[in-house]
Amino acid sequence: MNRGFILLWAFVVCIAAAAAGCAAQETASAPQISALAFYQYDASIPIDVEQSELKRTDDFVQYHLWYTSAHDQRVSALLTVPTKVEKPPVVFVQHGYGDSKEVDYVQWPTVFLVQQGYAVISIDAQYHGERKKDNRQQALFNSRSPAMRDAFVQTVIDMRRAVDFLAASDDVDADRLGYLGMSMGAMLGAVFCGVEERVDASCLVVGGGGLARFAGANLDAQGETNLKIIDPVHYAGMISPRPLLMINGRKDTLVPPAAGEALFEAARDPKRIEWYDGGHYDPPLDKVQAWVTEFFAGNVKGS
């Protein structure tokens, strides 16, 4: 997961918000809002799936997908289905900031989850991967930017539309659905799993919340409004009574332990957090695989 200092610093700046000084930025008082309304969508819109086979082995078949989401968006995704399991349960695996559905730390759990009898779906977040646009940033946590707030919201809705697709599929069992998200994917996942009741179990790796605390004096009225909509702490409690597993590093400097603790505190039982003695980019893969395997076996495969 090593992405380098420049990427790390860019993400920290996005979480903390841009420095004060953008005089043209609107600073009106934050309105009273219903943040949940941002994540609603019209499920009757045809999903219009384009599906092509990418790879087939004795053990699995992997498909490349494009499907329609809200706001006329077309979403790119990968669906990997084991060939020796009839109607397998599904795990959603989501990438972090600046990456895509093809990144190594998404493909790694895809391999071991498929070997364990799960189908795996992964999408490109807005402005990432095949949805990248040259004139758009990828900083979905830039609290000063309404455009980035909307991209965060869009990605959560895109995940909900992926569940619509899975629910209509004869190849998988969408009634047994887990979520595994890393970094930005964990923060998106806290919101997604909070608003999407069809997810049975949520595993969030190196995620956190309480973003206003880290923005400090740089958070203006627009930022306050945006964080009411996207901060994972507002949604983690909604995951209950479905189980939550968090995995965080005690030496993480990108998503510091305090942010992980804030998200865990906001969640409700049943919840569990596993700490490892490392940073954001070096979780112990053997331990992570064991924790994830145990968690989904008990809460997705057996649910």
Side-chain angles (χ1 to χ4, degrees):
M1 290 191 199
N2 190 356
R3 308 301 303 167
F5 177 78
I6 293 177
L7 177 57
L8 183 151
W9 179 248
F11 196 18
V12 169
V13 170
C14 294
I15 291 180
C22 296
Q25 180 71 43
E26 182 181 353
T27 57
S29 297
Q32 296 296 314
I33 58 173
S34 173
L36 288 175
F38 281 78
Y39 298 98
Q40 302 305 309
Y41 68 99
D42 183 357
S44 69
I45 297 173
I47 202 161
D48 191 19
V49 179
E50 296 178 40
Q51 179 172 306
S52 59
E53 187 175 308
L54 278 183
K55 185 177 182 180
R56 180 178 290 271
T57 72
D58 291 339
D59 299 315
F60 69 86
V61 57
Q62 185 172 70
Y63 301 98
H64 179 270
L65 310 174
W66 285 97
Y67 63 87
T68 299
S69 185
H71 310 120
D72 296 320
Q73 291 292 311
R74 294 288 286 172
V75 182
S76 47
L78 292 178
L79 174 64
T80 308
V81 182
T83 56
K84 299 176 183 178
V85 181
E86 184 178 358
K87 298 277 287 188
V90 188
V91 175
F92 214 122
V93 180
Q94 190 58 33
H95 69 79
Y97 173 77
D99 290 318
S100 73
K101 61 188 181 303
E102 287 92 1
V103 71
D104 55 358
Y105 62 82
V106 168
Q107 292 306 305
W108 167 67
T110 295
V111 170
F112 77 73
L113 287 167
V114 169
Q115 289 174 343
Q116 293 170 11
Y118 300 91
V120 174
I121 189 166
S122 304
I123 75 166
D124 285 324
Q126 180 75 300
Y127 306 135
H128 288 69
E130 293 181 278
R131 304 174 72 190
K132 186 175 181 180
K133 294 184 179 180
D134 292 338
N135 62 342
R136 288 291 187 178
Q137 300 177 0
Q138 297 178 311
L140 305 194
F141 285 95
N142 184 346
S143 63
R144 187 178 289 273
S145 169
M148 291 300 97
R149 173 205 68 198
D150 292 346
F152 183 102
V153 171
Q154 181 67 51
T155 303
V156 172
I157 295 174
D158 297 340
M159 294 179 188
R160 301 193 72 185
R161 289 292 281 168
V163 180
D164 293 342
F165 159 72
L166 294 169
S169 172
D170 294 328
D171 298 326
V172 301
D173 182 0
D175 290 330
R176 294 183 292 163
L177 178 61
Y179 182 89
L180 172 62
M182 283 71 74
S183 193
M184 183 184 77
M187 298 182 189
L188 285 161
V191 181
F192 166 61
C193 297
V195 302
E196 181 51 77
E197 296 181 349
R198 292 175 289 181
V199 179
D200 295 303
S202 311
C203 181
L204 310 178
V205 182
V206 293
L211 306 184
R213 170 180 176 182
F214 302 100
N218 289 331
L219 189 65
D220 62 7
Q222 180 67 68
E224 289 179 1
T225 298
N226 291 341
L227 288 185
K228 289 178 182 178
I229 299 166
I230 68 172
D231 194 324
V233 296
H234 301 313
Y235 304 88
M238 298 170 59
I239 296 173
S240 177
R242 295 162 291 149
L244 168 66
L245 170 64
M246 291 180 57
I247 300 173
N248 287 78
R250 296 190 184 279
K251 299 178 181 177
D252 195 333
T253 57
L254 180 55
V255 179
E261 291 168 353
L263 185 59
F264 186 70
E265 183 178 347
R268 299 174 181 173
D269 291 328
K271 62 180 180 179
R272 166 184 157 205
I273 188 167
E274 297 285 356
W275 292 96
Y276 62 88
D277 190 27
H280 196 75
Y281 300 118
D282 59 351
L285 299 185
D286 55 343
K287 289 186 177 180
V288 171
Q289 180 170 340
W291 290 327
V292 169
T293 296
E294 176 194 19
F295 181 67
F296 286 142
N299 297 296
V300 175
K301 188 176 285 187
S303 62

